[in-house]
Amino acid sequence: MPDKKFFENLSGAGKAIGVLTSGGDAQGMNAAVRAVVRMGIYVEAKVYFIYEGYEGMVDGGENIVEVTWESVSSILQVGGTVIGSARCKAFRTREGRLKAACNLVKCGITNLCVIGGDGSLTGANIFRTEWSGLLEELASQGEIDEEARKKYAYLNIVGMVGSIDNDFCGTDMTIGTDSALHRIIEVVDAIMTTAQSHQRTFVLEVMGRHCGYLALVSALACGADYVFIPEYPPEEGWEDHMCSRLSENRARKKRLNIIIVAEGAIDSNNQPITSEQVKDLVVQRLGYDTRVTILGHVQRGGTPSAFDRILASRMGVEAVLALLEATPETPACVVSLSGNQAVRLPLMECVQMTQDVQKAMDEKNFSDAVQLRGRSFQNNLNTYKLLSTKKTASELPTTNFNVAVLNVGAPAAGMNAAVRAAVRIGITEGHKMFAVTDGFEGFSKGQIKEISWGDVGGWTGQGGSILGTKRTLPAKHMEKIAEQMRNHTINALLVIGGFEAYLGLLELSAAREKYDEFCIPMVMVPATVSNNVPGSDFSIGADTALNTITDTCDRIKLSASGTKRRVFIIETMGGYCGYLANMGALAAGADAAYIFEEKFDIRELQANVEHLTEKMKTSIQRGLVLRNENSSENYTTDFIYQLYSEEGKGVFDCRKNVLGHMQQGGAPSPFDRNFGTKISAKAVLWLSKKLKESYRRGEGRVFANTDDSVCLLGMRRRNLIFQPVIELKGDTDFEHRIPKEQWWLKLRPLMKILAKYKTSYDISDAGQLEHVHRPKPVEA
């Protein structure tokens, strides 16, 4: 662990930061702008809006305005960009950049935060390299004096990528991508209901002129029959292959077909494949009733998702830290996301790699293009290929292994996507897949049946748990479960669930001494809205719950805009885990969040009331407070509501809202569908490997009793890793059912800073400048 380093030592006093959005708009840009402004003001820097992107920088005047804390209130939930974005031909010329430099120097701005795509960021880098020359020219023309030339001699640039296409190399997700996926999935879910009624085929065209990320992930998230993306064109004769797959699916009683086409889709000869072309082909060859839906700018619209708000807020704060730490020698950098880590990468390395993808596609080196897109893109593509094509019986290997899948604990959105992926990957691996209904309780009663490829069709978009799930632990049914495992010859176990699933695996592992039936490979995939499973930064279902909380908070804030001076107290789920309350507060722009992990007392409650009283004197006359359900035994939601009501008399009035089980329900978010699908697929491939390793030929059976044969698969920082459950015991607070260390607590100060509280922020693992990892070219 590095020594703790707090950013109090990093002062922005005397510095001026300019923030602009450029290129195409993307949901979440406003959250990034808000974070830059508030963090900048927090560290005592001056912060300026540069309206209309580079055009505003060139025109100057009223386009460059110093802003206050209140300037960015109420923009967190707004789509697009409130400071405008425009294409600017003038900035592409030296003359235009000369004007821009003059306008910045007049305001003393030598730190630029640029939110845009690769074109906007490349432009910023050119501006930076020319800066000293531009200032010399301005001085020689008498536009600025010599003192200003020396004082403002260096320009620092930090970029954040705002692009719904996720087309920038070096980051797993760009700001706006998750929200665009939400729009696509909303449309797909709506289309699926009408298509089933009429046995229709729908061809959906989504954005992505040069990048197939949106098409690929939405195909994965809705179980599309076919997808066309620029990086991975279909092989010659794709028309026959697609039509045979569609007719096979219809023959299996599937009432609808979904085909997703990226707008930049091409064939292997770099010729475009259009949605109309695909539709005509289906009609001519198969005679199916086929419709085309072009989503267009719908994908750019609407409110940003919880993921994008949190991502953009984290990136905005990180960008200000990067500007404060920058020296004249620091290259222009871009703030990126790798797994769950904020990282800083040299801007031009990322731009170069992004351009190399296009070059590889132009030269028909498509395998290189896929690799250059990065690990996340490759995983999505490989998983989609495995899940979308059903092999014939003759093509499948036969292992004679039986793998059981069950859900344990409370239902979580995305569980069904995980089960579907597990079943289909298992069948592809040659195993027989068995579904257990009603968790360990159903297991003990023999509610176990073989499940086929077609049985899990259409499961990805379904909320809850189709298999049924119970909180019952196996301990009291151990004898019966062992008997059922013997009767059905279960050779491996995949458990998808929350804290009870983790406890269940610990119990099964301990029972190995008594029952040989449990000496088999077992793996758990975390799925719980509470996100309280040790060994994983994320659990399936938590993102959907977070979006429900965020949407509700948005509506509540709107209701408060009509009636001024109102404070809302909102109670979230999560047991003793404050993840939903804390991250929901960050995504909704709340004033406070009370959680079990950070003790609070009456003095803090009083301080929060005083903080809100001060806030009511400004133009922002409303407040939002979140409380985790088990944050305190005595300071209940009712108590806090009554305290705020009493103390706020004459200044503000109070309302309370308990969100309850609506947080568990609803269709899973794109993140949960995708995460559930990928993590479950990886878990089954691990089981396959373990089955082969632990098969004893002489005895004709599987026998695994080492600690590493009972694992939990979780996301840790940047990677998905398997960890023996026995080793996770030391990381667990069993009494409160939470991990002893939780990564998101480091983001807690961000929420406080953005709500105008003074606090300490540990930056010991803030993004250090790294280099872009370039994959080796694929051998021909």
Side-chain angles (χ1 to χ4, degrees):
M1 273 297 277
D3 289 336
K4 287 204 169 183
K5 185 173 84 171
F6 294 99
F7 76 96
E8 279 92 323
N9 316 329
L10 293 171
S11 170
K15 293 191 176 184
I17 298 170
V19 59
L20 72 142
T21 52
S22 176
D25 64 311
Q27 309 96 315
M29 278 184 163
N30 289 326
V33 168
R34 172 180 177 267
V36 169
V37 168
R38 292 198 165 173
M39 188 65 178
I41 291 170
Y42 191 85
V43 296
E44 298 172 352
K46 285 185 173 183
V47 186
Y48 290 81
F49 275 169
I50 299 171
Y51 286 101
E52 308 305 335
Y54 289 118
E55 196 172 282
M57 203 191 287
V58 172
D59 295 344
E62 291 180 358
N63 289 304
I64 305 176
V65 179
E66 188 179 351
V67 288
T68 64
W69 191 273
E70 281 85 19
S71 304
V72 289
S73 92
S74 302
I75 70 168
L76 184 63
Q77 65 269 31
V78 178
T81 163
V82 295
I83 57 175
S85 178
R87 309 277 176 200
C88 181
K89 284 184 182 172
F91 191 76
R92 292 179 181 174
T93 65
R94 186 174 170 88
E95 191 185 351
R97 293 193 288 276
L98 198 65
K99 284 183 184 172
C102 186
N103 290 327
L104 291 187
V105 168
K106 281 177 186 170
C107 297
I109 299 170
T110 54
N111 295 282
L112 266 190
C113 187
V114 182
I115 308 163
D118 62 336
S120 310
L121 299 177
T122 306
N125 193 60
I126 293 167
F127 191 39
R128 180 180 177 276
T129 51
E130 289 180 352
W131 182 260
S132 56
L134 293 171
L135 262 56
E136 277 175 24
E137 202 172 319
L138 288 169
S140 67
Q141 291 171 1
E143 293 284 339
I144 60 170
D145 58 29
E146 190 58 26
E147 189 186 337
R149 187 187 74 78
K150 285 179 182 170
K151 186 177 179 184
Y152 305 120
Y154 302 104
L155 179 69
N156 295 318
I157 294 223
V158 173
M160 282 183 271
V161 192
S163 159
I164 68 164
D165 293 340
N166 204 27
D167 56 357
F168 192 81
C169 292
T171 184
D172 287 353
M173 287 288 261
T174 56
I175 296 166
T177 305
D178 187 68
S179 302
L181 284 170
H182 272 259
R183 298 298 91 77
I184 295 168
I185 293 303
E186 282 163 17
V187 171
V188 172
D189 285 352
I191 278 175
M192 277 180 149
T193 53
T194 176
Q196 277 189 317
S197 307
H198 302 277
Q199 282 198 293
R200 281 201 176 124
T201 296
F202 268 89
V203 181
L204 245 78
E205 185 181 300
V206 301
M207 281 185 166
R209 233 184 338 230
H210 306 291
C211 178
Y213 186 88
L214 288 179
L216 178 58
V217 174
S218 49
L220 200 55
C222 73
D225 297 81
Y226 221 84
V227 63
F228 293 93
I229 59 172
E231 294 90 342
Y232 188 76
E235 291 173 1
E236 296 282 346
W238 61 267
E239 298 89 342
D240 297 333
H241 184 243
M242 182 186 78
C243 290
S244 68
R245 188 186 292 177
L246 295 181
S247 52
E248 274 170 28
N249 287 345
R250 280 289 168 96
R252 287 201 295 269
K253 303 286 191 292
K254 190 175 178 185
R255 290 182 61 83
L256 78 153
N257 301 111
I258 300 275
I259 300 163
I260 296 182
V261 183
E263 62 179 331
I266 49 173
D267 64 18
S268 52
N269 296 311
N270 276 0
Q271 295 306 302
I273 294 176
T274 66
S275 45
E276 281 296 330
Q277 185 187 338
V278 173
K279 175 206 161 184
D280 293 343
L281 183 71
V282 175
V283 172
Q284 286 161 19
R285 294 267 192 103
L286 300 170
Y288 292 167
D289 183 1
T290 308
R291 299 283 193 274
V292 171
T293 300
I294 298 172
L295 266 62
H297 280 71
V298 164
Q299 294 156 88
R300 284 196 194 282
T303 59
S305 66
F307 182 95
D308 271 331
R309 297 181 198 196
I310 293 165
L311 174 69
S313 300
R314 286 175 75 180
M315 301 286 124
V317 167
E318 185 68 39
V320 172
L321 292 177
L323 286 171
L324 293 183
E325 291 176 345
T327 65
E329 290 73 44
T330 310
C333 80
V334 62
V335 179
S336 297
L337 181 77
S338 176
N340 191 26
Q341 288 282 109
V343 293
R344 299 176 198 170
L345 298 168
L347 172 58
M348 291 321 290
E349 285 185 24
C350 297
V351 169
Q352 184 59 53
M353 199 149 135
T354 305
Q355 290 168 351
D356 288 349
V357 176
Q358 191 57 49
K359 186 170 171 241
M361 289 196 285
D362 293 342
E363 294 171 358
K364 301 184 187 176
N365 293 333
F366 297 112
S367 51
D368 282 3
V370 168
Q371 276 212 303
L372 287 164
R373 277 277 177 239
R375 200 176 51 174
S376 175
F377 190 93
Q378 277 179 283
N379 288 344
N380 285 321
L381 181 58
N382 292 337
T383 309
Y384 177 76
K385 286 194 285 190
L386 281 170
L387 292 172
S388 60
T389 314
K390 186 185 183 209
K391 292 180 178 173
T392 59
S394 59
E395 291 174 298
L396 288 172
T398 311
T399 62
N400 295 322
F401 292 135
N402 295 343
V403 179
V405 183
L406 67 157
N407 291 340
V408 176
M415 273 182 164
N416 298 320
V419 172
R420 170 184 174 268
V423 168
R424 292 198 167 177
I425 298 288
I427 290 168
T428 305
E429 287 286 293
H431 313 318
K432 270 189 180 175
M433 299 302 294
F434 287 82
V436 182
T437 48
D438 295 342
F440 288 119
E441 196 173 304
F443 211 142
S444 69
K445 292 174 183 171
Q447 292 166 243
I448 304 162
K449 67 175 196 306
E450 192 176 346
I451 187 165
S452 70
W453 183 280
D455 292 338
V456 291
W459 280 30
T460 42
Q462 304 280 327
S465 163
I466 295 171
L467 287 185
T469 180
K470 292 253 172 90
R471 291 178 182 271
T472 316
L473 292 175
K476 50 181 158 180
H477 302 293
M478 214 56 96
E479 183 86 45
K480 286 182 179 171
I481 293 172
E483 187 186 323
Q484 293 300 338
M485 291 185 92
R486 200 162 51 245
N487 293 347
H488 293 86
T489 326
I490 302 298
N491 307 114
L493 203 56
L494 170 64
V495 184
I496 300 162
F499 205 84
E500 288 89 356
Y502 166 63
L503 293 175
L505 274 199
L506 282 172
E507 289 181 4
L508 291 179
S509 174
R512 281 175 160 182
E513 290 178 16
K514 193 173 174 188
Y515 302 99
D516 269 6
E517 287 80 4
F518 302 131
C519 294
I520 58 169
M522 298 187 253
V523 66
M524 172 190 165
V525 166
T528 165
V529 299
S530 305
N531 199 29
N532 63 332
V533 176
S536 190
D537 291 355
F538 296 117
S539 296
I540 301 163
D543 184 72
T544 306
L546 209 45
N547 277 292
T548 304
I549 292 165
T550 309
D551 291 347
T552 308
C553 289
D554 286 353
R555 291 176 190 189
I556 284 170
K557 279 163 89 173
L558 277 175
S559 80
S561 62
T563 51
K564 299 290 184 193
R565 299 189 179 171
R566 181 164 282 176
V567 173
F568 286 89
I569 317 287
I570 296 168
E571 184 186 294
T572 67
M573 288 175 92
Y576 287 98
C577 180
Y579 178 82
L580 290 178
N582 188 70
M583 302 306 264
L586 187 55
D591 298 277
Y594 300 118
I595 60 171
F596 170 77
E597 291 88 346
E598 192 175 279
K599 297 295 174 221
F600 57 97
D601 56 22
I602 196 73
R603 286 182 293 279
E604 185 167 339
L605 290 169
Q606 186 64 40
N608 293 151
V609 172
E610 285 164 13
H611 186 270
L612 281 166
T613 305
E614 285 303 305
K615 188 179 177 183
M616 296 300 161
K617 294 175 186 172
T618 70
S619 56
I620 322 166
Q621 297 185 349
R622 58 156 199 276
L624 194 61
V625 174
L626 272 66
R627 178 190 175 275
N628 167 242
E629 58 185 351
N630 287 353
S631 55
S632 168
E633 201 178 330
N634 297 312
Y635 299 130
T636 61
T637 303
D638 281 336
F639 177 91
I640 292 172
Y641 163 68
Q642 285 162 1
L643 176 77
Y644 273 65
S645 299
E646 185 63 33
E647 295 293 319
K649 267 187 184 162
V651 183
F652 57 80
D653 66 350
C654 257
R655 294 288 185 276
K656 68 172 174 176
N657 195 320
V658 177
L659 298 185
H661 279 71
M662 64 184 286
Q663 294 159 84
Q664 280 182 343
S669 68
F671 180 93
D672 278 331
R673 296 181 195 200
N674 189 16
F675 183 58
T677 299
K678 283 202 290 193
I679 195 170
S680 191
K682 192 176 174 81
V684 174
L685 293 172
W686 179 86
L687 282 177
S688 285
K689 181 170 150 280
K690 287 287 176 193
L691 281 166
K692 284 172 195 156
E693 287 172 7
S694 57
Y695 183 63
R696 295 183 171 182
R697 270 187 201 289
E699 300 171 32
R701 66 169 182 146
V702 171
F703 188 85
N705 67 347
T706 53
D707 288 349
D708 67 354
S709 61
V710 186
C711 280
L712 179 144
L713 174 57
M715 164 71 82
R716 295 302 280 269
R717 294 167 80 87
R718 299 191 191 188
N719 299 301
L720 279 173
I721 57 172
F722 291 92
Q723 304 137 99
V725 289
I726 208 90
E727 288 177 15
L728 292 171
K729 282 174 82 171
D731 301 341
T732 311
D733 172 353
F734 285 98
E735 185 190 347
H736 299 106
R737 300 160 63 88
I738 52 173
K740 286 179 182 171
E741 280 192 27
Q742 303 188 78
W743 68 274
W744 53 267
L745 284 169
K746 284 191 173 172
L747 300 186
R748 188 150 172 78
L750 289 197
M751 188 213 83
K752 294 183 177 179
I753 287 166
L754 297 176
K756 214 173 182 176
Y757 286 93
K758 284 288 174 195
T759 186
S760 291
Y761 181 37
D762 176 12
I763 56 164
S764 44
D765 66 349
Q768 303 305 311
L769 193 66
E770 300 179 10
H771 289 286
V772 175
H773 169 68
R774 287 189 71 92
K776 293 183 176 69
V778 177
E779 297 295 324

